[in-house]
Amino acid sequence: LQRQFHDRVTYDYLGHRFLYFDSQGALAWENLMRAGYDQGCWLAGVEACAKKLVDDGLIGKKRGLDLISLGPGEAAKEALVAARIAALGLPWFTVALVDVSIPLLVSGAKACRKKASQVLPFCADFEEGPLSFLKRLPTEHHDGARLVAMLGNVFGNVRDEEVLMNERLSKMLRPNDLLWLEVALRLERVEDDPLFRMTLPARGELTAPEANRRLLLEGPYRRWESAHGRRPSDMHTRVWVREDDDTSRVPGSINFCHDLVFEEQRRACTMLYSRRYQVAGLSRWLQGFGFSVDAVVPVEDSQKRTRVVHLVARKR
């Protein structure tokens, strides 16, 4: 990943995998989660969706299960899911955590091992790297189901949802396996989205989440400059809304694109896509890839606004 960053640093797109793969990035990510991010609401939403999976019988009790989480970060959500599923008493149950950040994988694995007996942390790039971790899953050799989870809007952060579906998820999911997506919702007024404030010209002090987000976005480039003895660039973060283009292919979605702008070089590169979705548009899009949506769980933030939704879809 360090070599890749060096090779791509002059491109127009870098991507979210470079934000937290090292220890300083991981710390910035954890600070973002802790500082006014409504994480308590999102954890409660995951708990509610996990309960629905169990109560509605979407997870069968006669077969083993691999829970495969792509981009779990510190895995607080996965630990909640693991506790709920472990209580079912399945023949066997494995939690597989797939992330590029070793520091976050270590802490995430510790959290999940308190809830499930078999936890497999894999340092892997599920978006572009080899998928060799699939060969080490129990479902590769024994009869069982897979539940692939992308929580925390990880699905909305990838470069291309269609490529992810065609080249990645198609290799992870077999008929009757489940895909669990937690995504941010597109609000009726884009101005009501908390990220919209960051699209406006700087006005006064940044909030704690905004400051941590800027540190997270600029950190990889600043560390790269320091490692190469370069003078710090005149750089700032730009967030802008993109719609109806190659960055937001799911019908009804919009993309809060996060760029690093280099004034002296007169160029910009993208560090992060952060999409918002409409439930109907995303459901139809999933159906086009051979999925049926079995569960939809909306989640409110601390101000009682529905801002997140969980969709659980079954591969036909």
Side-chain angles (χ1 to χ4, degrees), residues 41-56 80-81 84 180 297-299 310:
C41 298
W42 314 141
L43 290 172
V46 168
E47 182 84 46
C49 189
K51 184 176 185 300
K52 184 173 181 62
L53 280 172
V54 170
D55 292 349
D56 291 359
L80 292 175
V81 178
R84 181 72 62 171
W180 178 353
V297 179
V299 185
H310 293 264

Side-chain angles (χ1 to χ4, degrees), residues 7-34:
D7 293 340
R8 298 185 187 192
V9 79
T10 58
Y11 290 6
D12 62 351
Y13 177 86
L14 286 169
H16 67 111
R17 68 177 59 78
F18 298 109
L19 291 177
Y20 48 75
F21 74 90
D22 65 5
S23 56
Q24 289 178 308
L27 180 61
W29 173 259
E30 290 179 323
N31 286 337
L32 178 63
M33 294 297 102
R34 293 171 182 146

Side-chain angles (χ1 to χ4, degrees), residues 118 162 172:
Q118 187 170 7
E162 289 186 6
M172 300 181 201

